[in-house]
């Protein structure tokens, strides 16, 4: 720390910061544009000017603080001991006022119609710089706007040329199709021509741009002023990374999702699936009332809407005390709902709702993490690694935000260079200049090429067996006691040695793997590498090596769904397997009368014949869910379940972090949290009039008490009883407007706002002042706002220091504690050999079925959102050129894949990186839902492909199978 004087007061600030960061960390107001907390400084906009006084004023010569100083840019000036500066000096203020007046000469001043208005950093900085009067009377330059796809609007006239968008898109996110073009007053930020932005992280432009150039197109479709949106702290439900979000609601519809800063997880950025995948919530075909389904005489399913008491009567029959129940849970439902189901049916009758393949992989992943002597890194820690090995996981498509972090890991090498050159770490342009095209070594071993190959030191594409063998061989090369892998080619051995050597010299190596390629052998191989690396030092994960460096091995396993880890932990001590197959055996054996399915389309989990067997064998089926799918159609009774924005609940991310999301708004019609339905059902079964639980807190507490592996979940966020100065925390900003008018159809007097019995948040704008950061727990902060800071940049006021943890600590509780003891046993990676055999068989006329994940199509809920559907690619199978030639197919032709339970017709894409003898089939489409990957299948050319394509008889995704849209 160093001491500096700011406007006559002494402050202690971190050494190495620049003045802008230091001032903002202290809570002082200093305007800026081009600096971004995650991207550092380039000194381009000149808005952060302040006065730095001379070090040694000479009062005898008439010098004083006020007289001798110079204008410096806060973002470009490092702090130093004894430095004296002024933000408020009239010369600094005057300079800043002139800069913004200049920046604004071409700005259209269209705030009343600008979608950024009210949440605009430019508005804030204009006022902060006291530029309140427009003097420029000349003509303004104008630009043409571009079509940039379904996610982003473009209004270039609002640009102030801060270059943040280009720096974010190209330098931070690795995009290639958005540039700065032309010069001077005509500089233009966009694509070379109209077209969809290619980056999977394009949505962050909306938050990075300080003006209204890039805005959220999905919000435009049902626009509401930002201050009229009701918000609550939430967690993204579209993968297992666990990014923190803030959804905004008006009139019962979700209008947008924005990033909610988390110092260890998502930082300032989301992926586009997470940001734009929310519109499934607003679909007009949501299940909003309980439905009784009956077969008609014509063998059609009839839906009868039920009142609450009729529903109760039905349930009373289906789950009466003498009925034998079985519950199938879900990795996309909250812990509370899964636990409530387990309580209803009994622990021995609860199944996690995963396929056998998924269940085995998840349990293995958990075992590995619990036994490992390594650290499970947060995304922030991922960005600090100095060598990375990814085994088998296409992270960009399975855990997208992790891929953005890996891009920053690649740039990490710049920090080392900067340290040598004594350049501060925030000097973005200088570090990039010094770094040139050097990257931190990242090795990617994946099924096919991936979207982050451009930052890889080396890539390897092969079958899961080949990847597992590569990984196991690397482990052996690092630690000779790990099992040896025989039969690798000379080229392969050389690669193994290169990777092992680089990992061996790393201070903080990181191994990433996951369930994405459906291979236990790959997971085991990754565990061996992590174990070998951890074994370089003693028993702890953080030890000094001979050369005095700290060694720490990080190990991150990607899981697929928002609560995959949660249900795996919930079930980890159960005696019976958790898979749907295990459940089926019970049902088929006639042991069960009623099956209760929680928020799970079982047809996405396994072959349709097996799933049908469950539904046909059970006397009654009750399904709780929020949208229509095939399993809903099989139910006798359907109960309308709330989605993440309607209910409170706890999810556990891949990192093992339990985090809570809160209801943003009151659900419509008869929609309730699944745990609430289940609470009533438990009471009914017991013959009690009182629900098992009144509040979600009680469920969370009971869950923690009964499941040792979930110790700590209660602390993920404060409970309902939490108050500040006796008040709840408001979901509505204090500027929220129109509350009386909104409900004028109900009453011309303002209707009483609904109560929230479940959380410490209120559906009001009254409550604990949003304007006082630091007192509210971070897990209960719906949005960031501070006086004078209406944009997302106000988050700085809520951080302990810029880019640091939120005040009071970042939300969530980490549940998985590694054993911390070096294992002596190694995985044999036996499955790899068997799969290799399978792969060899494929050369005799059968192809190995490999998964192909897609960020915009593979995940169930986001794939029901119109903008994401529009962004989804044409779905093709991937074939190696040799295999395509063997089948006499070319790009654009069709193939028929004969699996045990179905025939799949898909277009061909020839892909050089695709392993020979395999066929890459998209995950999660209507046609491919529930496919068992890594099986061998027959593939043949589809002679009728062109006719089929023209007749459009092929349903390629769930959204077209299940139409709906914005309500
Ligand atoms: S478009 Fe926005 S982010 Fe890009 S330069 Fe202009 S004002 Fe800055
Ligand atoms: S990475 Fe996953 S959790 Fe994060 S925003 Fe994207 S889909 Fe959501
Ligand atoms: S923020 Fe310092 S020059 Fe732009």
């Amino acid at each position: 720390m160093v001491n500096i004087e700011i406007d006559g007061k002494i402050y202690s600030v971190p050494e190495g910061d620049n003045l802008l960061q230091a001032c903002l960390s202290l809570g002082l107001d200093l305007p800026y544009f081009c600096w971004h907390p995650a991207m550092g400084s380039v000194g381009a906009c000149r808005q952060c000017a302040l006065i730095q006084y001379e070090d040694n004023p000479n009062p005898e010569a008439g010098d004083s603080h006020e007289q001798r100083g110079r204008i410096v840019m806060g973002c470009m000036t490092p702090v130093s001991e004894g430095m004296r500066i002024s933000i408020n000096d009239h010369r600094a203020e005057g300079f800043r006022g002139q800069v913004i007046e200049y920046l604004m000469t071409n700005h259209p001043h269209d705030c009343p119609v600008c979608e950024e208005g009210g949440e605009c950093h430019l508005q804030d900085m204009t006022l902060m710089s006291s530029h309140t009067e427009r003097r420029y009377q000349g003509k303004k330059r104008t630009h043409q706007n571009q079509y940039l796809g379904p996610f982003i609007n473009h209004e270039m006239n609002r640009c102030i040329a801060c270059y943040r968008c280009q720096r974010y898109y190209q330098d931070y996110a690795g995009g290639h199709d958005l540039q700065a073009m032309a010069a001077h007053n005509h500089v233009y930020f966009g694509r070379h021509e109209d077209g969809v932005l290619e980056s999977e992280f394009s949505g962050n432009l909306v938050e990075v741009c300080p003006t209204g150039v890039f805005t959220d197109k999905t919000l435009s479709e049902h626009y509401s002023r930002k201050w009229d949106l009701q918000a609550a702290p939430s967690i993204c439900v579209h993968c297992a990374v666990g990014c923190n979000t803030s959804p905004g609601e008006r009139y019962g519809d979700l209008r947008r999702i924005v990033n909610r800063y988390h110092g260890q997880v998502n930082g300032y950025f989301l992926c586009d699936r997470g940001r734009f995948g929310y519109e499934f919530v607003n679909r007009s075909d949501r299940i909003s009332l309980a439905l009784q389904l009956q077969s008609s005489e014509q063998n059609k399913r009839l839906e009868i809407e039920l009142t609450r008491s009729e529903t109760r009567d039905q349930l009373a029959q289906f789950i009466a005390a003498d009925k034998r129940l079985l519950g199938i849970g879900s990795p996309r439902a909250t812990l509370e709902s899964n636990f409530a189901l387990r309580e209803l049916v009994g622990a021995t009758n609860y199944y996690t709702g995963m396929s056998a393949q998924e269940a085995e992989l998840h349990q293995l992943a958990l075992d590995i993490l619990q036994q490992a002597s390594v650290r499970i890194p947060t995304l922030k820690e991922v960005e600090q690694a100095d060598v990375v090995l990814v085994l088998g996981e296409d992270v960009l498509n399975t855990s997208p935000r992790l891929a953005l972090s890996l891009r920053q890991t690649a740039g990490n090498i710049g920090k080392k260079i900067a340290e040598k050159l004594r350049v501060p770490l925030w000097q973005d342009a200088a570090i990039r200049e010094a770094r040139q095209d050097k990257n931190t070594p990242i090795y990617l071993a994946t099924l096919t090429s991936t979207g982050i190959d451009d930052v890889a030191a080396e890539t390897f594409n092969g079958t899961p067996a080949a990847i597992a063998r590569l990984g196991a061989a690397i482990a052996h090369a690092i630690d000779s006691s790990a099992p040896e892998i025989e039969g690798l080619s000379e080229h392969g051995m050389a690669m193994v040695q290169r990777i092992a050597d680089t990992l061996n010299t790393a201070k903080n190596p990181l191994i990433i793997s996951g369930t994405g390629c459906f291979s236990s052998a790959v997971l085991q191989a990754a565990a061996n590498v992590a174990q070998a690396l951890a074994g370089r030092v003693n028993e702890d994960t953080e030890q000094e090596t001979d050369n005095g460096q700290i060694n720490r091995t990080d190990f991150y396993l990607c899981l697929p769904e928002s609560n995959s880890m949660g249900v795996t932990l919930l079930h980890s001590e159960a005696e019976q397997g958790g898979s749907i197959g295990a459940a089926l055996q019970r049902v088929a054996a006639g042991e069960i009368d009623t099956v209760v399915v929680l928020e799970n389309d079982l047809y996405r989990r396994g072959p349709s014949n097996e799933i049908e067997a469950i539904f046909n064998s059970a006397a009654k089926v009750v399904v709780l869910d929020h949208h229509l799918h095939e399993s809903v159609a099989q139910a006798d009774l359907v109960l309308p379940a709330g989605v993440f924005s309607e209910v409170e609940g706890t999810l556990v991310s891949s990192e093992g972090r339990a985090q809570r999301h809160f209801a943003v708004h009151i659900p419509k019609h008869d929609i309730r949290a699944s745990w609430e339905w289940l609470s009533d059902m438990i009471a009914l079964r017991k013959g009690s009039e009182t629900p098992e639980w009144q509040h979600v807190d009680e469920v969370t507490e009971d869950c923690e008490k009964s499941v040792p592996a979930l110790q700590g979940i209660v602390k993920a966020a404060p409970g309902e009883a939490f108050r500040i100065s006796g008040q709840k925390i408001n979901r509505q900003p204090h500027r929220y407007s129109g509350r009386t008018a909104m409900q004028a159809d109900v009453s011309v007097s303002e209707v009483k706002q609904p109560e929230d019995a479940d959380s410490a948040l209120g559906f009001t704008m009254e409550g604990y002042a949003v304007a006082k950061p630091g007192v509210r727990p971070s897990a209960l902060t719906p949005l960031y706002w501070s006086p004078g800071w209406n944009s997302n940049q106000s988050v700085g006021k809520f951080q302990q220091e810029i880019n640091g943890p939120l005040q009071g600590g970042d939300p969530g509780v980490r549940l998985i504690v590694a054993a911390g003891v070096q294992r002596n046993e190694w995985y044999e990676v036996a499955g790899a050999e068997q799969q290799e055999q399978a792969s060899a068989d494929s050369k005799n006329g059968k192809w190995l079925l490999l998964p192909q994940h897609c960020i915009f199509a593979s995940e169930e809920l986001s794939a029901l959102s119109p903008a994401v559907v529009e962004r989804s690619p044409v779905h093709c199978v991937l074939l190696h050129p040799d295999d395509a030639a063997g089948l006499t197919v070319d790009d654009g032709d069709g193939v028929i894949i004969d699996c045990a339970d179905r025939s799949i017709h898909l277009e061909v894409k020839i892909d050089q990186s695709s392993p020979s003898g395999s066929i890459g089939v998209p995950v999660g489409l209507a046609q491919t839902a529930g496919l068992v990957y890594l099986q061998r299948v027959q593939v043949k050319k589809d002679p009728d492909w062109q006719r089929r394509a023209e007749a459009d008889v092929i349903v390629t995704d769930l959204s077209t199978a299940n139409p709906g849209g914005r309500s």
Side-chain angles (χ1 to χ4, degrees), residues 334 336 646-650 660-663 673 675 696-697 758-759:
T334 62
E336 286 79 1
E646 294 162 339
V647 303
E648 182 178 336
T650 310
R660 189 140 321 132
H661 62 73
F662 293 89
W675 72 260
V696 67
D697 285 353
D758 280 327
S759 81

Side-chain angles (χ1 to χ4, degrees), residues 72-281:
V72 294
M73 292 308 121
C75 72
M76 298 299 282
T77 311
V79 298
S80 61
E81 181 64 36
M83 182 181 237
R84 294 177 303 119
I85 62 165
S86 171
I87 298 172
N88 300 331
D89 184 294
H90 69 279
R91 288 165 293 183
E93 282 184 347
F95 186 94
R96 295 196 299 262
Q98 283 175 9
V99 168
I100 201 154
E101 185 171 17
Y102 163 71
L103 289 175
M104 295 286 281
T105 49
N106 282 309
H107 190 77
H109 286 75
D110 60 342
C111 303
V113 295
C114 175
E115 292 188 9
E116 192 80 350
E119 203 183 58
C120 175
H121 187 60
L122 178 60
Q123 283 181 328
D124 289 348
M125 297 302 101
T126 306
L127 285 177
M128 201 176 281
S129 307
S130 306
H131 171 56
T132 52
E133 187 187 341
R134 183 179 179 85
R135 293 186 296 172
Y136 175 69
Q137 299 295 320
K139 205 172 172 190
K140 298 172 190 176
R141 59 101 177 88
T142 53
H143 290 296
Q144 288 214 338
N145 302 320
Q146 291 184 319
Y147 167 78
L148 296 177
F151 295 153
I152 305 286
N153 282 321
H154 194 219
E155 175 43 88
M156 250 310 286
N157 293 326
R158 298 178 183 139
C159 179
I160 55 163
C162 71
Y163 281 75
R164 264 187 178 192
C165 54
Q166 186 231 359
R167 289 175 58 216
Y168 163 75
Y169 197 89
Q170 290 190 349
D171 299 343
Y172 195 91
H176 299 292
D177 61 327
L178 184 138
Q179 294 92 13
M181 289 168 275
H184 311 300
N185 253 356
H186 299 285
V187 67
Y188 188 88
F189 297 86
R191 299 186 82 250
H192 69 290
E193 61 181 12
D194 280 23
V196 179
L197 284 171
E198 288 165 7
S199 170
E200 294 80 2
F201 305 96
S202 66
N204 295 315
L205 287 171
V206 170
E207 296 195 50
V208 162
C209 176
T211 84
V213 176
F214 299 104
T215 53
D216 180 339
K217 198 178 249 184
T218 66
L219 171 63
S220 300
E221 298 279 343
H222 42 197
Y223 187 70
S224 178
R225 282 296 187 185
K226 318 296 178 69
W227 59 80
D228 287 339
L229 294 173
Q230 180 166 273
S234 196
I235 307 298
C236 178
V237 293
H238 301 299
C239 85
V241 172
C243 296
N244 286 212
T245 61
S246 175
E249 173 268 1
R250 184 84 169 170
Y251 283 112
D253 283 345
L254 272 198
R255 305 296 172 108
R256 68 162 183 183
I257 298 261
V258 290
N259 184 69
R260 186 166 60 97
Y261 177 86
H262 190 296
Q264 289 296 325
V265 184
N266 46 298
Y268 301 87
F269 305 118
L270 300 174
C271 79
D272 286 355
R273 180 200 278 178
R275 185 182 294 273
F276 300 112
Y278 69 90
E279 286 191 289
F280 74 95
V281 172

Side-chain angles (χ1 to χ4, degrees), residues 620-652:
K620 295 292 174 199
V621 175
V622 180
V623 173
L624 300 95
D625 216 334
H626 34 74
H627 66 277
L628 298 172
H629 49 66
E630 283 190 67
S631 300
V632 167
Q634 296 286 348
D636 298 286
L637 181 63
V638 181
L639 301 177
V643 296
F644 72 96
S645 64
E646 294 162 339
V647 303
E648 182 178 336
T650 310
L651 303 171
V652 186

Side-chain angles (χ1 to χ4, degrees), residues 685-705:
R685 192 161 161 85
K686 286 182 177 169
S688 161
E689 285 300 309
T690 319
E692 181 73 358
W693 302 284
Q694 301 290 337
H695 303 295
V696 67
D697 285 353
E698 296 164 11
V699 195
T700 319
E701 278 162 25
D702 280 358
C703 181
E704 180 178 279
K705 273 188 215 139

Side-chain angles (χ1 to χ4, degrees), residues 20 32-35 43-48 73-75:
L20 174 61
Y32 60 86
F33 285 119
C34 63
W35 174 83
C45 72
R46 323 312 280 171
Q47 191 59 53
C48 62
M73 292 308 121
C75 72

Side-chain angles (χ1 to χ4, degrees), residues 907-927:
E907 190 173 318
V908 169
K909 186 171 169 199
I910 297 177
D911 178 45
Q912 186 72 42
S913 71
S914 202
S916 181
S918 75
I919 183 159
V921 175
V923 174
L925 310 183
Q927 285 196 72

